[in-house]
Amino acid sequence: MSARATHFRTCNLCEAMCGLAIETEGEQIIAIRGDQDDVFSRGHLCPKGPALAQIHTDPDRLRRPLQRTRSGWRELEWDDALDAAAEGLHRVQREHGNDALAVYLGNPAVHNHAVVLYGPPFLRELKTRHRYSATSVDQLPQMLVAHLMFGHQLLLPIPDIDRTQYMLIVGANPLVSNGSIMSAPDVRRRLRGIQMRGGKLVVVDPRRTQTAKLADEHLFVRPGTDALLLLALLQVIASEGREQPGRLATMVEGADRVRRAVEGFTPERVAGPTGIDADRIRTLARELVTHRGVTYGRVGAATQRFGALAHWAINLLNVFTGALDRVGGSMFTRPAVDPIAMPKGLGVGPGAFGRWRSRVRGLPEFSGELPVASFAEDVLAGHEGRRGEGEPLAPIRGLLTLAGNPVLSTPAGSALGDALERLEFVLSVDMYMNETTRHADLILPPTSPLERSHYDLVFHLLAVRNTAKWSPALFEPPADARHDWQILHGLWARLDRLRGDDGVVKRGLHQLLERLGPDGMIDLGLRAGPHGRLLPAALRPLLGDRAGGLNLETLAARPHGVDLGPLEPCLPDRLPGKRRRIELAPALLIEDLSRLERSFPLGAAAVRPPTEAEPKFSLIGRRLLRSNNSWMHNVPKLMAGKPACTLLMHPDDAERLALRPGDEVCVRSRVGEVEVPLELDADMMPGVVSLPHGFGHNREGSRMQVAAEHAGVSINDLTDPAEIDELSGVAALSGVSVEVRLARS
């Protein structure tokens, strides 16, 4: 009989990095609970953590490479599959040019340190400018603003939630997301801590979310107008002489330009479009200063027509109130493995903007990626359409997807699915045959999350406290399985041989990468990081405690993680290179204010409520605690309970339209329509409706049985690729104009 054992690791299903205690008996998982001794989560666990057991044993999870044939799918041996995959990629680029191959990276890639380390150098070797990722359906505006203001795309200020006295949350629901660019397990306890310290929590959102219900105050705001509100707060602070930048005053450039630029955004001007009273806006601005508050915004503030301006205004508020780089304010992390400081080629560079543009609309690249709002149209464009600036981009003829499902997660998803059928070769590295990978010629499935080691290379960079934790693989993978990094490295080495680029240097590089593996690279990163040790073992006894520091061995001996302390002020040292000052008024952002002014004329009136004659609404998305990515809908434990894919509408709106709970309603946008059950919710702002993201599992050919039983509809069959933030190119997923009517029987 197999002995029972308890293993400690980190959940990789969202950003919170909750510690797990997993009890096993042989190859069977007996129980998964929160690790009470985890240095970061202290026993907290959301419903997703225990679902790892069902993901590991999911009969729909692919375990062998699959190749599409005229008679259906057939399994391949790994060497044959990797050979065929590399030949397909090479053929597309050889016949049509490097840019003829497009790449899409999904959200799960950032939850896997092996993909973070091996993915970027492999993708650079593909030399294609048709790269897309979940970044531009999520946090692109935040990263662009960080690049312009601080000089690096990943210098993202994190709210010091555990020590703040006042927190303004705009377009975020951390009780459900567990943070998000504020990795914070047990957010409820942390937010209640603000109130228990005598502080205050204010939430601004078109929906009274779970976080808003916990708050001291909630303000409804019209979708897409967050930038107006935030700039009005800044205008009040500046015009009333309430600025308190503190030590930041000597580290900033452009404060006067900002003051002049926001003069016209008075509370009276923005009250109508935002739906928030001018006096309340003034009071909120004064409270931020008086209570030394911190401002935080996320997806709702980013995925709209003025997402970059909204996140610029958030950073400006934190500067003008002295919250940036202040205990209890908005601070920068010092992770044990720092992607910002890693050597070129392995780490993440400072970013770049607008070096080339998409084929059809000329949308700008950011950090080597084009906005996904242009993805479907660029695939469909063929040899027609705009070629952008500089060297023209070749038409897309092939696609590589890595842990992504863009048919459900990007605008015009149905059109994208149709477009994929026109491509000459599609390769997917994915655990599932989903709504996107069903179009592939080859699917290469990596090992299960519990069959590989884990280190949160990205989310330690975004956490509310500096910690470090490494988890070994829980189970040995089958002999015929491959990890993500082995798949990527195998493709890379084969492509080099096909291109004739496998000389001595390249062969040596591949041997080194294969020998190191992702854990070896993490070990080097720990040793070179701010908490590491580079000294050889022979010299450590001579220096005693001074030789102490982190490496993989020390983390392996500390299965509950290592606490490296709270966030600390670190400016200007944290700025990259020789940069010593923060640019408050980047020209691109200042110039974009004119677009905002044109969209919302001075004193614009409030939006009229929908009527039966004109049933027009603003559509917003919503996150579910039991879901993060679409493939989680294939987990029975996470899909239990009442149907989750419903359209939320305020009861007053439903009454005006003669609609009742449970009615099947038709929701129509400029680009598509769906039919979905109606759910009445007084927590919705009148004139606003909401659908969850990630559903739409009714496409023929996918192999996700549980998801198909809870198919729902895809919000991205409604989101309009023409609606974007014209500066950053991010898809405006929040505030999509839709009509809602009773569906025809």
Side-chain angles (χ1 to χ4, degrees):
M1 183 174 180
S2 301
R4 289 202 175 196
T6 300
H7 310 264
F8 301 99
R9 64 183 290 116
T10 301
C11 178
N12 71 313
L13 297 182
C14 79
E15 297 184 34
M17 300 187 289
C18 293
L20 305 176
I22 304 179
E23 188 177 355
T24 63
E25 186 173 306
E27 295 295 307
Q28 301 297 313
I29 297 174
I30 306 302
I32 299 180
R33 61 185 186 276
D35 177 8
Q36 298 294 329
D37 296 317
D38 186 271
V39 298
F40 194 38
S41 61
R42 302 293 182 186
H44 174 76
L45 191 62
C46 86
K48 292 190 288 293
L52 275 168
Q54 291 186 337
I55 293 172
H56 180 69
T57 59
D58 188 350
D60 290 338
R61 182 169 65 83
L62 303 180
R63 290 160 171 81
R64 301 278 297 169
L66 291 179
Q67 183 180 47
R68 180 197 298 274
T69 70
R70 291 184 177 181
S71 58
W73 294 92
R74 67 171 182 135
E75 290 188 353
L76 292 180
E77 296 296 327
W78 268 104
D79 284 342
D80 294 337
L82 289 169
D83 287 343
E87 289 166 2
L89 299 177
H90 179 61
R91 182 176 65 253
V92 167
Q93 292 192 307
R94 184 186 67 239
E95 295 179 0
H96 305 292
N98 290 336
D99 293 332
L101 178 68
V103 175
Y104 179 85
L105 279 78
N107 171 274
V110 298
H111 296 262
N112 184 334
H113 71 285
V115 175
V116 174
L117 290 169
Y118 280 75
F122 166 61
L123 296 180
R124 281 193 291 272
E125 283 294 306
L126 292 177
K127 297 181 175 63
T128 177
R129 291 176 291 174
H130 271 129
R131 285 177 53 185
Y132 308 83
S133 81
T135 293
S136 54
V137 286
D138 191 337
Q139 73 274 4
L140 173 57
Q142 284 174 274
M143 295 172 67
L144 174 61
V145 168
H147 165 69
L148 295 174
M149 293 184 71
F150 308 121
H152 200 289
Q153 60 182 320
L154 289 186
L155 277 178
L156 301 168
I158 308 302
D160 189 13
I161 187 174
D162 292 336
R163 294 180 288 184
T164 193
Q165 289 296 112
Y166 185 105
M167 191 169 183
L168 172 62
I169 297 178
V170 181
N173 188 9
L175 248 64
V176 169
S177 66
N178 290 315
S180 186
I181 308 194
M182 183 186 71
S183 295
D186 201 356
V187 175
R188 181 179 297 275
R189 174 182 61 81
R190 297 175 190 272
L191 292 177
R192 287 200 180 280
I194 298 173
Q195 297 165 324
M196 292 176 66
R197 293 191 293 273
K200 185 175 181 179
L201 175 65
V202 180
V203 173
V204 177
D205 201 284
R207 175 175 164 245
R208 189 176 291 108
T209 62
Q210 293 88 334
T211 305
K213 291 177 183 177
L214 178 68
D216 299 282
E217 183 175 3
H218 167 243
L219 300 173
F220 282 122
V221 65
R222 293 292 303 177
T225 65
D226 302 80
L228 283 178
L229 170 65
L230 293 162
L231 290 168
L233 296 176
L234 195 62
Q235 189 274 342
V236 172
I237 292 170
S239 66
E240 294 183 356
R242 296 178 179 272
E243 298 172 34
Q244 295 184 12
R247 57 188 285 269
L248 294 175
T250 62
M251 301 182 204
V252 298
E253 296 277 3
D256 286 338
R257 292 196 296 276
V258 169
R259 294 184 192 100
R260 291 192 297 271
V262 302
E263 283 178 351
F265 293 94
T266 64
E268 287 74 18
R269 174 186 179 181
V270 310
T274 63
I276 300 177
D277 181 75
D279 288 341
R280 185 64 197 95
I281 293 173
R282 282 199 169 81
T283 302
L284 187 59
R286 294 162 186 164
E287 287 178 354
L288 266 177
V289 177
T290 303
H291 298 288
R292 294 170 60 82
V294 61
T295 305
Y296 163 72
R298 247 325 263 128
V299 175
T303 56
Q304 53 177 277
R305 292 173 58 217
F306 301 99
L309 289 180
H311 280 283
W312 177 48
I314 288 171
N315 283 348
L316 289 175
L317 282 170
N318 285 328
V319 169
F320 275 58
T321 60
L324 184 67
D325 202 42
R326 183 193 71 203
V327 171
S330 190
M331 308 180 76
F332 297 104
T333 59
R334 286 282 197 180
V337 182
D338 188 358
I340 294 175
M342 291 177 74
K344 185 176 181 181
L346 291 178
V348 179
F353 184 61
R355 292 172 297 175
W356 60 86
R357 293 178 177 269
S358 65
R359 286 182 54 80
V360 177
R361 275 182 287 169
L363 302 184
E365 66 82 32
F366 174 70
S367 197
E369 295 182 358
L370 291 168
V372 293
S374 70
F375 190 16
E377 67 192 25
D378 288 346
V379 173
L380 287 165
H383 292 273
E384 303 299 325
R386 177 173 175 168
R387 298 278 183 123
E389 299 176 1
E391 183 182 348
L393 299 186
I396 295 173
R397 293 289 184 260
L399 174 66
L400 165 63
T401 70
L402 178 56
N405 191 0
V407 168
L408 292 191
S409 61
T410 67
S414 292
L416 176 61
D418 294 339
L420 296 184
E421 287 295 323
R422 305 186 184 189
L423 297 179
E424 296 177 14
F425 182 73
V426 177
L427 169 65
S428 293
V429 180
D430 205 289
M431 296 193 302
Y432 287 99
M433 187 179 294
N434 60 33
E435 291 75 20
T436 298
T437 63
R438 68 195 173 108
H439 296 286
D441 296 282
L442 272 170
I443 306 177
L444 306 180
T447 50
S448 135
L450 298 182
E451 293 171 340
R452 58 178 183 253
S453 60
H454 183 73
Y455 183 91
D456 277 293
L457 188 58
V458 172
F459 298 117
H460 283 306
L461 184 68
L462 307 175
V464 299
R465 189 174 181 89
N466 290 313
T467 64
K469 183 180 175 183
W470 176 80
S471 308
L474 182 63
F475 299 117
E476 281 291 323
D480 60 350
R482 296 291 186 276
H483 296 304
D484 309 72
W485 72 271
Q486 292 173 319
I487 295 171
L488 296 175
H489 184 248
L491 291 172
W492 183 1
R494 284 167 170 81
L495 280 170
D496 280 347
R497 288 198 294 272
L498 290 169
R499 293 169 173 172
D501 186 23
D502 59 342
V504 175
V505 174
K506 267 295 182 69
R507 289 200 304 271
L509 172 64
H510 287 305
Q511 289 172 4
L512 176 63
L513 291 174
E514 189 170 8
R515 183 173 301 174
L516 274 176
D519 290 342
M521 295 170 72
I522 289 294
D523 184 48
L524 291 176
L526 288 166
R527 292 175 183 273
H531 309 280
R533 63 184 184 202
L534 284 170
L535 291 171
L539 295 181
R540 291 176 202 149
L542 302 177
L543 297 178
D545 291 341
R546 287 175 293 168
L550 290 181
N551 59 23
L552 199 63
E553 183 181 358
T554 59
L555 283 189
R558 307 278 291 275
H560 307 292
V562 175
D563 185 2
L564 301 172
L567 308 185
E568 297 291 348
C570 59
L571 292 179
D573 294 342
R574 189 68 168 126
L575 299 178
K578 297 180 180 179
R579 186 167 181 148
R580 309 301 289 174
R581 298 174 77 84
I582 300 166
E583 178 53 69
L584 297 185
L588 287 173
L589 293 164
I590 292 287
E591 293 165 3
D592 200 40
L593 288 173
S594 62
R595 181 171 63 94
L596 181 62
E597 292 181 284
R598 291 193 304 272
S599 299
F600 300 100
L602 183 64
V607 177
R608 291 184 301 177
T611 64
E612 196 165 3
E614 292 189 28
K616 294 183 178 179
F617 291 82
S618 288
L619 174 67
I620 62 173
R622 68 180 185 268
R623 174 85 171 264
L624 304 175
L625 180 62
R626 293 172 175 265
S627 175
N628 187 22
N629 296 294
S630 60
W631 53 271
M632 292 186 191
H633 298 161
N634 209 53
V635 181
K637 184 184 290 289
L638 298 181
M639 287 291 99
K642 67 176 186 177
C645 190
T646 59
L647 183 78
L648 298 185
M649 177 186 288
H650 193 279
D652 291 349
D653 289 332
E655 185 177 359
R656 278 191 294 271
L657 273 62
L659 297 174
R660 296 174 298 179
D663 278 347
E664 196 79 6
V665 294
C666 176
V667 187
R668 177 180 299 165
S669 71
R670 185 187 72 85
V671 298
E673 64 179 58
V674 299
E675 292 188 2
V676 61
L678 180 68
E679 181 177 350
L680 302 190
D681 188 352
D683 292 324
M684 291 300 302
M685 185 178 189
V688 180
V689 291
S690 173
L691 278 173
H693 82 277
F695 286 89
H697 304 290
N698 53 0
R699 271 76 165 177
E700 184 179 349
S702 61
R703 294 186 184 177
M704 300 176 70
Q705 298 178 52
V706 175
E709 293 168 3
H710 304 270
V713 299
S714 175
I715 190 173
N716 284 307
D717 287 343
L718 299 171
T719 53
D720 190 340
E723 289 294 318
I724 60 170
D725 176 1
E726 292 179 16
L727 174 57
S728 69
V730 71
L733 306 180
S734 182
V736 177
S737 179
V738 297
E739 291 187 356
V740 181
R741 300 182 187 274
L742 185 67
R744 296 175 181 174
S745 57

